[in-house]
């Protein structure tokens, strides 16, 4: 992952498609740097950015709608262009062709007939049929002058086209989604065959570049990092430590809502194994006192967030008055969502603050070494930095921790029950070789008790619910189908080894309509 100002880079103009981030990820998977920007960026800005190629994303609008997001026609002359769905229709519109509502809309899987096996379809066979993913209600009614069709489908005779002499291409389908079976080949053909891009976006090169940037920025100043033990903050801390060594101090707040042995694991990993200055703040009593009697999940989140801010800020002051910088593990999707770059109907989804929502008036300048990266890229950087797979590949864990997985008021006893059940659950998933097949797995302590029999005695104990889902981005999710023998072993171990539990249930809800977390 080299400095994008010196290597090949693809500019993605976002017209509001739900798949825009996926386009960027597919380009980066091919080791070419890409960035997403809104339609209102100017031609002068684009020229100064010097893109190797430009991709116009899909979107929910029709190009003939009043107020639909547009682009100047001159954008087609700056660099090779690929228009996807709405982006394809926009090219037609800009070049004098005609777009009209389709008589038969295409949504979902469709078969594409390859008319011309070159350019985007280099390596395909003439007449080859390949599955693609369609999502459109408009179609090209008339191609502009000097454009020729290179692919067709049952619902569109111009499912793919190119300019006769210039490197401008359009596709009615979405090559970036997995359902387009050879979509990666088409994207690679655009990147390397059409744009002549170089695959230089690698973890090692990114680390070297960021290390130099951090050293130059920080100089001799001190830096602090809020370390949670999660993937993002861990990789950010390791990267900054490589740059400035003992000038970095990490602050780990034990709020009493962590997983089993988590504090010990973080201390061993960062202090003992990597020699990082680590301050551990034992604040379990403070958090649990503030949360006493609280059941509402939103109120729990607020209390946990506010208490974290107070504890972290006090610890930061203890590090010293000469601390000038704060490290955050902000990722590229956080940046995209926070600045709302879309020109279609998409709006800002959230304002993101990694370190517990720290006050904006804190006297530190931010260092965000991961803000150009997607999650999978962060994991790869972590591997390159020497972090173990059990850390870089771990499942997402909510900021409020187990506080929102106990579905009642919080006590030490309830948290200990949940901690033990969750640890057994994850241990058995790993033992079965299923951990990496699951996006997220966790246990929940329900606010109900049930009758059971253990030995010759009647019991009236807690119920633990288990959740495991598959997903690509967390936006949608399906429940994971465990083998029966694995689920039986998990249930047996929890009931037999965790005192106070006599029943285990499994959540078979998908998102939507359910959420991944219970609270």
């Amino acid at each position: 992952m080299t400095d994008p100002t010196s290597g090949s880079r693809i500019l993605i103009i976002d017209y509001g498609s739900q798949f825009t981030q996926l386009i960027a990820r597919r380009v980066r998977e091919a080791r070419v740097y890409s960035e997403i920007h809104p339609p209102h960026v100017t031609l002068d800005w684009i020229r100064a950015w010097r893109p190797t190629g430009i991709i116009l994303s899909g979107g929910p609008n029709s190009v003939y709608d009043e107020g639909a997001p547009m682009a100047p026609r001159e954008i087609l002359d700056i660099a090779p262009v690929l228009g996807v769905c709405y982006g394809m229709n926009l090219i037609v519109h800009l070049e004098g062709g005609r777009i009209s509502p389709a008589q038969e809309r295409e949504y979902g899987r469709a078969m594409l007939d390859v008319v011309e096996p070159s350019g985007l379809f280099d390596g395909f066979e003439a007449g080859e049929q390949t599955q693609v993913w369609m999502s459109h209600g408009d179609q090209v009614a008339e191609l502009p002058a000097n454009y020729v069709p290179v692919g067709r489908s049952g619902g569109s005779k111009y499912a793919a086209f190119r300019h006769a002499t210039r490197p401008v291409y359009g596709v009615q389908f979405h090559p970036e989604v997995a359902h387009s079976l050879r979509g990666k080949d088409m994207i690679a053909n655009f990147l390397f065959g059409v744009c002549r891009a170089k695959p230089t976006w690698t973890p090692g090169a990114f680390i070297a570049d960021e290390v130099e940037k951090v050293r130059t920025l920080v100089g001799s100043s001190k830096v602090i990092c809020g370390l949670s033990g999660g993937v993002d903050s861990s990789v950010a801390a390791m990267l900054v430590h490589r740059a400035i060594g003992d000038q970095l101090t990490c602050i780990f707040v034990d709020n009493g809502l962590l997983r089993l042995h988590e504090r010990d694991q973080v201390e061993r990993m960062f202090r003992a194994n990597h020699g990082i200055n680590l301050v551990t703040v034992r604040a379990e009593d403070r958090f649990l006192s503030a949360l006493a009697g609280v059941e509402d999940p939103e109120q729990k989140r607020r209390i946990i967030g506010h208490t974290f801010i107070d504890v972290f800020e006090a610890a930061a002051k203890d590090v010293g008055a000469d601390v000038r910088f704060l490290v955050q593990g902000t990722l590229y999707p956080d940046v995209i969502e926070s600045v709302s770059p879309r020109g279609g109907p998409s709006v800002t989804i959230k304002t993101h603050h990694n370190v517990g929502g720290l006050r904006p008036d804190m006297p530190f300048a931010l260092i965000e070494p991961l803000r150009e990266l997607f999650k999978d890229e962060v994991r790869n950087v972590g591997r390159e930095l020497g972090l173990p797979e059990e850390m870089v590949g771990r499942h997402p864990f909510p900021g409020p921790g187990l506080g929102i997985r106990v579905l009642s008021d919080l006590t030490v006893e309830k948290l200990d029950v949940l901690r033990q059940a969750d640890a057994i659950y994850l241990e058995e998933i790993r033992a079965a070789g299923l951990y990496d097949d699951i996006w997220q797995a966790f246990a929940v302590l329900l606010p109900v008790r049930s009758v059971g029999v253990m030995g010759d005695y009647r019991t009236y104990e807690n119920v633990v619910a288990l959740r495991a889902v598959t997903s690509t981005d967390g936006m949608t999710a399906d429940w994971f189908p465990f083998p029966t023998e694995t689920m039986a072993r998990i249930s047996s171990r929890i009931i037999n080894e965790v005192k106070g539990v006599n029943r285990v249930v499994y959540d078979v809800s998908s998102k939507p309509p359910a959420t991944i977390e219970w609270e």
Side-chain angles (χ1 to χ4, degrees):
M1 301 172 186
T2 57
D3 180 352
T5 62
S6 62
S8 298
R9 57 219 196 123
I10 301 298
L11 173 63
I12 300 168
I13 304 295
D14 181 7
Y15 287 96
S17 170
Q18 61 181 315
F19 301 129
T20 301
Q21 287 192 31
L22 191 53
I23 297 174
R25 291 180 63 177
R26 292 289 180 258
V27 173
R28 292 188 182 192
E29 286 170 3
R31 296 171 56 190
V32 177
Y33 182 76
S34 63
E35 280 188 15
I36 298 170
H37 287 277
H40 59 253
V41 292
T42 66
L43 284 173
D44 287 343
W45 183 93
I46 295 172
R47 291 189 181 103
W49 200 77
R50 302 193 313 277
T52 308
I54 298 172
I55 298 177
L56 309 178
S57 85
N61 298 94
S62 296
V63 293
Y64 45 77
D65 287 345
E66 183 177 353
M70 287 285 127
R73 201 220 65 83
E74 292 83 357
I75 196 173
L76 305 178
D77 300 325
I78 294 174
V81 175
L82 171 62
V84 175
C85 202
Y86 180 87
M88 173 192 190
N89 296 345
L90 183 57
I91 292 172
V92 172
H93 180 77
L94 295 175
E95 293 280 77
R98 186 165 59 89
I99 300 295
S100 65
Q103 291 184 345
E104 295 183 9
R105 298 183 176 188
E106 288 184 295
Y107 292 102
R109 295 173 178 85
M111 297 306 296
L112 177 77
D113 294 321
V114 176
V115 175
E116 183 180 274
S118 61
L120 288 185
F121 303 117
D122 189 36
F124 289 67
E125 299 290 333
E128 177 179 340
Q129 286 197 323
T130 182
Q131 178 182 291
V132 296
W133 184 261
M134 294 281 191
S135 180
H136 68 97
D138 291 334
Q139 66 180 6
V140 180
E142 181 181 340
L143 280 177
N146 298 316
Y147 280 82
V148 295
V150 295
R152 59 175 173 257
S153 69
S156 177
K157 63 179 179 179
Y158 303 127
F161 63 62
R162 66 171 176 85
H163 190 274
T165 58
R166 291 157 41 219
V168 179
Y169 292 80
V171 292
Q172 188 67 76
F173 53 89
H174 289 273
E176 68 274 18
V177 304
H179 299 301
S180 293
L181 298 184
R182 297 195 64 182
K184 287 187 178 181
D185 294 335
M186 300 172 201
I187 291 172
N189 283 336
F190 177 70
L191 297 177
F192 304 118
V194 178
C195 298
R196 305 298 180 189
K198 304 297 182 186
T200 55
W201 181 241
T202 64
F206 171 81
I207 292 169
D209 181 62
E210 284 299 315
V211 163
E212 185 59 33
K213 285 181 182 178
V214 171
R215 284 176 181 161
T216 301
L217 175 66
V218 169
S220 59
S221 302
K222 285 188 177 181
V223 179
I224 58 171
C225 174
L227 184 63
S228 70
V231 177
D232 305 339
S233 68
S234 297
V235 174
M238 286 289 292
L239 183 55
V240 173
H241 181 257
R242 177 169 292 191
I244 61 172
D246 288 345
Q247 292 170 243
L248 172 70
T249 297
C250 291
I251 299 172
F252 177 74
V253 176
D254 185 349
N255 58 11
L257 309 174
L258 306 175
R259 290 167 283 198
L260 191 66
H261 306 312
E262 187 147 22
R263 185 183 69 244
D264 294 339
Q265 292 168 355
V266 169
E267 290 179 337
R268 184 173 62 253
M269 172 63 59
F270 292 94
R271 185 182 292 148
N273 293 358
H274 293 283
I276 293 178
N277 293 329
L278 177 64
V279 174
T280 299
V281 182
R282 298 282 301 266
E284 304 101 306
D285 292 344
R286 181 168 179 175
F287 278 86
L288 290 180
S289 295
L291 290 161
V294 177
E295 296 188 7
D296 178 74
E298 284 307 307
Q299 191 177 353
K300 285 181 184 178
R301 290 177 188 273
R302 285 194 296 271
I303 291 171
I304 293 168
H306 292 159
T307 306
F308 177 87
I309 292 170
D310 293 339
V311 171
F312 183 86
E313 290 183 355
K317 290 178 182 177
D318 291 341
V319 173
D322 53 348
V323 174
R324 289 189 53 209
F325 295 94
L326 169 68
V327 177
Q328 288 196 166
T330 309
L331 304 191
Y332 193 43
D334 304 327
V335 175
I336 296 169
E337 291 170 355
S338 295
V339 300
S340 185
R342 295 182 169 89
S346 302
V347 295
T348 298
I349 298 170
K350 62 181 177 181
T351 300
H352 189 90
H353 301 285
N354 278 76
V355 188
L358 296 176
R359 295 194 235 301
D361 59 350
M362 286 191 74
F364 308 120
L366 282 182
I367 297 176
E368 298 175 303
L370 309 179
R371 64 181 285 115
E372 296 175 343
L373 305 185
F374 288 102
K375 190 77 167 190
D376 52 343
E377 294 173 319
V378 172
R379 296 187 196 278
N380 288 334
V381 168
R383 295 180 181 103
E384 188 81 10
L385 288 166
L387 285 170
E389 189 61 34
E390 66 183 32
M391 177 162 284
V392 297
R394 72 190 312 189
H395 293 171
F397 188 63
L402 300 182
I404 60 168
R405 292 179 179 173
V406 174
L407 306 191
S408 61
D409 64 312
L410 300 177
T411 65
V412 171
E413 293 74 23
K414 290 178 182 179
L415 288 165
D416 284 342
V417 166
L418 180 56
R419 246 188 290 272
Q420 294 174 57
D422 190 69
I424 291 171
Y425 184 31
L426 296 181
E427 181 181 312
E428 286 297 330
I429 289 173
R430 290 186 185 277
L434 299 174
Y435 189 85
D436 292 338
D437 297 333
I438 297 170
W439 168 269
Q440 191 172 5
F442 56 90
V444 177
L445 186 64
L446 300 185
V448 296
R449 304 178 82 183
S450 72
V451 173
V453 177
M454 303 186 84
D456 294 325
Y457 297 95
R458 175 186 181 275
T459 62
Y460 188 57
E461 301 287 8
N462 295 294
V463 179
V464 167
L466 304 179
R467 181 79 158 137
V469 296
T470 58
S471 181
T472 57
D473 54 14
M475 300 300 292
T476 61
D478 293 316
W479 59 275
F480 183 78
F482 278 109
T484 303
E485 60 274 15
T486 303
M487 184 58 72
R489 187 164 55 251
I490 292 168
S491 175
S492 177
R493 280 198 62 194
I494 291 174
I495 290 173
N496 282 286
E497 297 178 30
V498 182
K499 186 178 180 179
V501 176
N502 68 359
R503 192 177 299 271
V504 173
V505 298
Y506 187 56
D507 182 350
V508 292
S509 316
S510 294
K511 176 187 179 181
T515 55
I516 295 178
E517 294 283 349
W518 278 49
E519 288 194 348

